[in-house]
Amino acid sequence: MNLLISFSGGETSAYMTKWIIENWRERYSKILVVFANTGQENEQTLEFVKKCDDHFNFGTVWVEAVQFHGERRAPSFKIVNFETAARDGAPFEDAITKYGIPNQKFKDCTRNLKQKPIEAYAKSRGWENGSYDLAIGIRADEVDRMSVNAHKRQIVYPLIKDNPMTKPKINSWWATQPFRLELKGYQGNCKWCWKKSFRKHFTLIGENPEYYDFPRRMEEQYAFIGPEFLKDTSARPLDPNYRRTFFRGNKSVDDLFAEYEAKKHLFTPADDEAAVFDPDFDIGSGCEESCEVFSDEDNVGV
């Protein structure tokens, strides 16, 4: 049996990868480490993945999604590296031009930009479905993020059962290392992930409004792409004002910026140590520090 490690680019995932390489070499015939770049990762994430390779010798394979337009065919992949990895969102835009803008209703960005390319890469190595396990970096204090189909899909969570870890333990371990992921928890690997809570979005808008240039352009150019625009809607016509947007409550980037201006004096900016909770600001759609593949919500309809 082989093992494929989905390296998200986060600290938990990196710790898991190092632990597996040191402890599971005898358990599996081969171990592959794969990182999927969407083109909208924070630069610090890309730097961190490279540092992990340089320092821990992960041998990470960097892939980006390749879409097949006009075909009912799952995304494939191309191999890149730190220098050639997209920073302009090109893989993300390519997926949007085929599938439309992802959001709470159409939760397919992780599947089309990470899961399917990773699976395609494994298949290119001769690893057919069923011939390998998939390791995901979810901790013991995140058991609610485990897939209910983990056994069926051969997903293993080393940091829940084999080596139980929590966020404080991960932080403690990284504090002894010569480098860290230079991002705050609310920033996450994806600059502007639509799953973030409004508090996180408003904080990021205040700090780095330019992060939202890409999703704004996507909404301006591709708001009318998706299966709902291709169906016969004569019986139930679409609202004439309907267009696809990214954010919770059918909000667009411009809506977020308008709300930020109206409410910035009412909310406390996101803080990794803060314990505040306000339903108006803190309800999100599952954005964590990193986006893990093969979560149940990202495979609805697969």
Side-chain angles (χ1 to χ4, degrees):
M1 180 67 72
N2 298 324
L3 178 68
L4 192 153
I5 300 174
S6 173
F7 182 15
S8 70
E11 288 190 343
T12 295
S13 187
Y15 172 85
M16 176 197 72
T17 300
K18 186 176 186 299
W19 185 87
I20 286 174
I21 290 173
E22 292 178 346
N23 293 275
W24 279 4
R25 282 293 187 188
E26 302 302 318
R27 181 178 296 194
Y28 292 97
S29 300
K30 293 182 180 178
I31 297 176
L32 288 178
V33 182
V34 185
F35 166 70
N37 176 49
T38 68
Q40 282 294 282
E41 319 290 332
N42 275 296
E43 183 65 21
Q44 294 93 326
T45 298
L46 305 184
E47 293 172 352
F48 181 71
V49 174
K50 184 177 186 301
K51 287 178 180 178
C52 286
D53 276 344
D54 293 342
H55 191 74
F56 300 129
N57 197 29
F58 286 175
T60 305
V61 178
W62 296 46
V63 301
E64 290 178 355
V66 174
Q67 309 299 329
F68 297 98
H69 297 276
E71 301 180 52
R72 293 180 62 85
R73 185 176 171 187
S76 186
F77 72 96
K78 67 176 181 179
I79 294 178
V80 296
N81 55 39
F82 175 76
E83 288 75 21
T84 62
R87 269 82 165 175
D88 60 356
F92 209 138
E93 182 171 2
D94 193 34
I96 288 173
T97 62
K98 180 174 183 178
Y99 298 102
I101 289 170
N103 53 33
Q104 277 190 300
K105 184 175 181 181
F106 300 97
K107 303 175 180 180
D108 56 11
C109 57
T110 302
R111 182 177 74 238
N112 293 323
L113 290 168
K114 291 180 178 286
Q115 176 186 332
K116 293 302 181 181
I118 289 173
E119 289 178 332
Y121 172 72
K123 189 172 183 179
S124 77
R125 295 288 301 266
W127 292 22
E128 298 294 335
N129 288 340
S131 70
Y132 62 92
D133 289 342
L134 177 75
I136 302 294
I138 292 179
R139 303 182 304 269
D141 55 354
E142 301 176 299
V143 291
D144 58 322
R145 298 179 65 199
M146 292 177 63
S147 170
V148 297
N149 298 309
H151 180 73
K152 177 181 178 182
R153 291 155 68 183
Q154 295 179 243
I155 301 175
V156 295
Y157 302 102
L159 304 187
I160 291 179
K161 182 179 179 180
D162 299 88
N163 178 29
M165 294 293 289
T166 61
K167 184 60 175 176
K169 288 182 178 180
I170 293 291
N171 284 336
S172 178
W173 186 84
W174 276 105
T176 67
Q177 302 306 307
F179 66 95
R180 294 198 65 167
L181 173 60
E182 299 299 330
L183 287 173
K184 297 176 181 177
Y186 67 83
Q187 292 174 305
N189 286 347
C190 178
K191 295 178 181 178
W192 52 270
C193 178
W194 57 267
K195 298 179 182 181
K196 294 182 187 294
S197 67
F198 287 153
R199 188 185 303 279
K200 292 179 180 180
H201 281 303
F202 292 163
T203 302
L204 291 170
I205 288 171
E207 294 177 347
N208 298 100
E210 71 279 4
Y211 284 2
Y212 292 81
D213 290 348
F214 177 82
R216 179 182 283 112
R217 182 169 66 83
M218 296 301 98
E219 291 179 341
E220 291 172 349
Q221 295 183 213
Y222 306 113
F224 300 102
I225 293 177
E228 69 270 38
F229 298 106
L230 302 176
K231 295 177 181 177
D232 181 359
T233 59
S234 56
R236 297 182 61 185
L238 290 173
D239 185 319
N241 296 317
Y242 172 75
R243 55 189 288 132
R244 276 219 199 172
T245 55
F246 281 103
F247 304 103
R248 187 165 56 87
N250 299 318
K251 288 181 171 57
S252 66
V253 172
D254 288 342
D255 292 333
L256 284 188
F257 273 66
E259 286 201 28
Y260 167 74
E261 289 298 329
K263 298 179 178 179
K264 60 183 179 181
H265 62 290
L266 298 175
F267 85 103
T268 303
D271 185 303
D272 291 351
E273 305 302 324
V276 296
F277 179 85
D278 185 318
D280 289 334
F281 296 130
D282 294 304
I283 295 176
S285 301
C287 177
E288 307 295 336
E289 293 130 7
S290 60
C291 198
E292 301 294 351
V293 301
F294 296 89
S295 66
D296 292 327
E297 71 167 20
D298 286 314
N299 287 279
V300 175
V302 175

